[in-house]
Each structure stands twice: as C-alpha cells, then as structure tokens.
Amino acid sequence: MNIELRFESFVDSSAASIAALPESRLRDLLYSMKRLRFVEESIAAKYSEQKMRCPVHLSTGQETVSSAAGLALRKSDLAVSGHRAHGHYIGKGGSVERMLAEIYGKVTGCSRGKGGSMHLIDESVGFMGSTAIVGGTIPVGVGLGLAMQVKAQSAGAIPGQIACVFLGDGAVEEGAFYEAANFAAVRKLPILFLCENNLYSVYSPLKPRQPEGRRIADMVRALGIPSEAGDGNDAATTLLKIDQAVSRIRAGQGPQFLEFFAYRWREHCGPNFDNNIGYRSEAEYEFWRAREPVARLEQNLLERGIVTEAWLDEADRLIEEETAQAFAFAETSAFPEANDAFTDVCFAADHQWVQPEGMNEARRFETSYVAPQISEVALDSANVPNSVGVTAPPIVGTTSPTSLGGSL
Amino acid sequence: MSRQITFGKAINEAIETSMELDPHMICYGLGADDPKGVFGTTLGLAGKFGPRVFDMPTSENGMTGVAIGAALNGVRSVVTHQRLDFFLLAMDQLVNNAAKWSYMFGGQRSVPITIRLILGRGWGQGPTHSQNLQSWFAHVPGLKVVMPTTAADAKGLLMSAIFDPNPVVFLEHRWLHEMSGEVPAGDFRLPLERAQIMNAGEDVTIVSMSYMSVEALHAIDTLKSNGISPELIDLKSVNPIDWNTILTSVKKTGRLLVCDTSNETLSVAGEIVARVSMELFGDLKCAPRRLALPDVPSPTSHALTKTYYQRAEHIVESVGQMMGREIDAMPMIAARTNPHDVPGQWFKGPF
C-alpha cells in the first residue's frame, strides 16, 4: 500500500499544534467537524428514502480541511469548490437548511432547486459557488482574487481579503489548474489553494494518474507557489498550517498551496460503503479509519481537559437538534413551480449589479464559521435554548472563553 | 456631420469608452498590449488605462475562468482572442460556467464577460485559423452571440455586450476590420437582439450575417438592376435571433435565402430555414434555401479556396433560381479587381 509510506512520512505533530492553538478555537474546530460529520452521515442514512433525488458526494472522513478553513477564513473572504463541496460550504458558514433543501430539490434551496448537491452557493458568507466539473472553479477562484487586486485601490476594497479555492488530487491533473495556478503566481494574487488528496479520482487511484514519488505540493512549488503538504487527519496541525498560509497571503506574499491527505469513507458518489467492489481494499480503509480525524481530535481534547464529556454530550445534542430542524425545513419546504425551469437563463439587460453580500464591510472581520457556545449553564436542560446556534450562553468549564467572532 | 471610422477603430472606441465609464473594467488577451494591438483594435488602450489592459499567459481556458471569477467579484472584462480557433480550449469555462452560472444558482448572480473572437476567411488561414463556429455558441442557452457587420454595429453592439449582465460572445470577421462607416462618438449602444433591414424589398428575403452581409450587399445591386426587389436582413445577433423581423419579412416576400459564414449542416442558417418553414409553410412560394460552406474543413491553398467560399454571384444565382429567372452575374464578377482570397487590395497578409 503505497499510500502508507506517504502517510507515515508525516510526523505526528498534533500535540504541539494543540498546545499552540487557543482552546476556544480547538473547541470550535471540533464542533465544526462533528457537525459536518453528523450532517453527512444523516444524508447517508436518509438517502434511501428517495427524497434526495440527485447525486451526493459525501465528505465523511474528510472533515478537517473544511472545518479548519472555515475557522481560518473571514466571512468576507471568498471561496469556490467542486463536486464534493458539502464540507467546504458548511465550513465556510453556509446555511445547512438551505443546502439540504437544495438536495431535496426545494425552492428554499440555496440554488432554488436548480443546482442540487453539486451546485451550492451562499454569498452571504462568501461561498461563491461549487460546480460539478473537476477543476472548473479553480480559474474562477483565481478570478475572484484578480478582482480583489484590480479593486485594491478603490473605496470598496476590503483590506487583507483573499480567495480560497478548494480542490482535490484529480483537479491538479486538469489543465485548468495549471493555467490558473500559473496566472495566480504571475500576478501574485491573494489565493489560497486547499487541495484534499483523497487518493482517488472516482475509482482511479493515483498510480495511473500521477508519477510515483512526485508529490502534488512539490509540483506546485515548482510552478512558483509556496506549497506544503500535511496530514489531513491531524486537525489541529491542519488549522495551524492554514492559519499560517492565510497570514502570508494577507501580508501580500501572493498565492499559497496546501495539500492535505484525507480519506473518503463512503463511495465516490452516494450513501454507501464500497470497499467490496474491488478498487480499494478493506485493509486500506481500516488503515485510514484508525487515523480518522474527528475521534482523534476529540480524544486529544478530552485528554487535555479542553473539552469534557459533558461538553461533548451537549455538542452532540445541539448538532442533532440543528440537523433535525434543517431536515425538517428541507422536507416541509415547497418544490419550485414547474415554470421555474424556464427562468434565470439570462439576466435582464437593465439588471442592477450588486456586490456579493460577503463583501459587506460590516462583516469583514467575522470568521466564516461561527460555532455556537456550549456552556455549563446550557447543560442544565431547563436553560437550553431552542434556537440552536443562535442564542448562546457563555462558556464551557475551562479557562478561555468560547469564541464567537473568531480570533482573527 | 458624418464621422467615418473603420470597424476596427470602432471596436477600439467601444472598449475605450466603456473603460472610461467603468473604472474597474479590464481588457486582456494575448497581444492586447503589443505593438500590433490585435489588428489595431486594442492600440493605445494600455497607455491610457495602464494595468487594466494586459497581456496574458497562453491559457485560453484558465483565463476565461479568471474573467468569470472577476465578474462574480464585480469586475467586468473584455477578453480578446486573435482567432476563434484558439478559444476552443475554453469551451469548458464558457459553456459549463459562464453560460450556466445564473441558471444553476437560481438566478443569484450572472457573469458579465465579453469574449471577442476573430473569424477568418481566405489567405491560407486554413483548417484551424478560419473556423466560423457561431452555431456552437448559439446552441448554448445562457450565451448571447453577436456578429456585427458594420462599423456602427461594431461599436454599438460591443458597448452593449460589455454592459450586458450576461456572457456575450462577440464574433468579429477579420475581413470587416478595415471597412469604414459612420459611427457616433462617445457612449453609443445598440440592442443586442435586434436584426436590421439593410435593404427593404418585396420579392425575396435574404438573411445574412457578418461578412456574408457584405457579399449580399454586392448581390442586391445586381438583383435590383435585373428588376428583382430583395429584402436584406443583417442578423447582427445569432442568439437570440430576431424572429419577428425575419418572419415579418418572409410573410411579405414568400421567399427565403439564408447566407451563413459557416459550414452548412446544423448551421444557424439551417435553424432559420427550419423555423420559417414550420411557422410560415403556407406563405412560402418556393422552398427556402441556405448558402453556407461545404461540410469540409477550410482548405489552405489559394487554388482550393476558389470554390470553397460563397460569394455575391452565388447569392445572385440562388435568388434567380428561386424566382425562376436566369441572371447574368458576369458583369459583377468582371468588375471585381480583388483576388478571391483577400478582403481588399489593402490586405497583403500575413494574417
């Protein structure tokens, strides 16, 4: 198993990374990852009901990069993604209920039922769109950054704003990646490339796709973009690396590329496990499961007293409640009218052009993902707020306060 | 007072005026700031607008996606390619992203980009430097596709394309760049979706586009001198098509000839013939016709292109057959002094 060699060449630096991060951010990171895991697994569990009638590419097992990026980016930073985008969208702060409604084909969906799972958008948090063509949004993300550079001197410019491009190991094989990365390097654009290397393009392993021994990060470094690879199952280290890359971009150092190894548990597309069909082995799957990021971070934080069992229980409860409400919203929402199939092809010529909401000045220093606070007060069931994640009493039983607005 | 400028200068003015109006607009393409300025159409812009006009990597697809991203973030662009053929690498970004962004995200945001592509004919441009693939673009919902003929249309339609909230493919025929016409100064825009009746007539409707409208103008002189009254409609836009103007005309004349700069099968001309046949079958006095290129790639040799391209005499001949008349096109052919493979004596190559 070639990948084991790649993987084991990483030193486990989670202890040092955890020590280097504020406890509140670590809790936010864990909460975000648990939330994403639960949403995805709920989709998998309910998919057979045949109410979600579109392809779904689930992120289970790959939560780290989505959640860490959501914490490292500001709401005013802009992001794009590809077909496996649930995590990136939710991590960036996208509405879960509108995502689920979209998957259910409802008019309340984030794309009003015209996009489905593969076309997610929530401009109010700077998630500018995900599309279903491998590599297709990479140049689009670079263009978002070019516009930031063009507008840098104008009144509406947002200081330090960056664009984040989520991509996978398959996308770096596309010409669009080379073309966009090259231009980002030429123009020193404020772009963060976040590559999740999950080792497969659908069922095709890396071996027939990329030369053995050549790391994606090394190749990209040769294009003139500072690049680093890391263990995407080590959530704390992943967050630190993304934080550092974001700081360099905000400081004007141009594009940065990060590659993280991650593993998708379920089939490429759909709700099932597929280790039985022969393109990957049970042993390989178990190898990665043993290193899985959510339980690993949870265990690390428990051992250090950064979270308690009570905190975890309350987090689970909040997440379950929020997810149940989001599914209920999706299921009870109306379908679009049949005539809606014929609208939105073009904008009227006199359409007034407005800036994306994510660029609103008032939002500029908010972190993309805002975790709800979980407090000891909330552990008393009498005081638990019904509107999960909206009202939030203060603080878990550790010293640092839970962050609401992010630490950047 | 008449103000005559060339089609190429009109393009240049449209970009310049638009960039003055929109302080964030950008203009780029391979050679956009080079000494030749894309057949003169971008000359002087880099000097005036600095970094908003720039050269680019030879990355047609990636740089189309960059234009899309810039548009999503409030920056309009005009992207220029010296040949349509070079742009085929960018069909992914154009078709999968630009054309569908509005639709697939439920009408939240559109992509105001303008893609200038230059079409060719003759002078040995051959199979990969002179394709007229307007029907490819016109087939895609969400794209507007413009093919100006006159200098005034070049400016008026390009400015409208730039300020349209949707992606617009702007197809310029290389043989039109040196053609002069009266063009208003300043902010001048024309509607993107309206055809123009270049010559009003009663006997036959000729629908044409881009450079073929120039051949048609030559043809109608001969037709008129032979007592035939043709109505010439210059399409200007191939998506959307101005059906109202076409159907109104054919209802009057009962005859339709469509002239296309592209290969015949599955062409824009074919679509117009189909639609008119379906809607006005009972009004037609004879079968509609189309004049387009044979279904083979463009040949290169001077000798091979002689019979490949459609010219005014073919239009004359076709109209004659539709009218049951034999018309002598020889005086028109004899009066012609240009070789068949150049737009005029001014053209000496190389591209």
Side-chain angles (χ1 to χ4, degrees), chain A residues 110-112 114-115 119-121 123 128 130 136 139-140 143-144 151 154 179 187 341 343-344 346-348 353-354 356 359, chain B residues 24 54 59 61-63 65-66 69-73 75 93 97 101-110 112 142 165-166:
Chain A
C110 59
S111 299
R112 296 180 49 234
K114 284 179 169 151
H119 301 98
L120 302 177
I121 186 168
E123 289 194 352
M128 300 300 287
S130 66
V140 176
L144 294 171
K151 296 191 291 186
S154 64
E179 295 185 2
R187 296 287 292 251
T343 60
D344 302 327
C346 280
F347 273 44
W353 214 23
V354 294
M359 294 185 231
Chain B
H24 290 145
F54 54 90
S59 302
N61 191 42
M63 294 308 295
V66 165
L72 296 177
N73 195 5
V75 171
Q93 286 297 327
N97 280 346
W101 207 273
S102 167
Y103 191 84
M104 69 188 169
F105 294 114
Q108 289 177 64
R109 190 159 294 276
S110 65
N166 304 287

Side-chain angles (χ1 to χ4, degrees), chain B residues 11 114-117 146 148 153-154 157-158 161 168-172:
Chain B
I11 297 283
T114 302
I115 308 288
R116 288 179 55 211
L117 305 177
V146 179
D153 286 349
L157 295 176
L158 182 54
V168 181
V169 179
F170 192 86
L171 301 173
E172 296 164 31

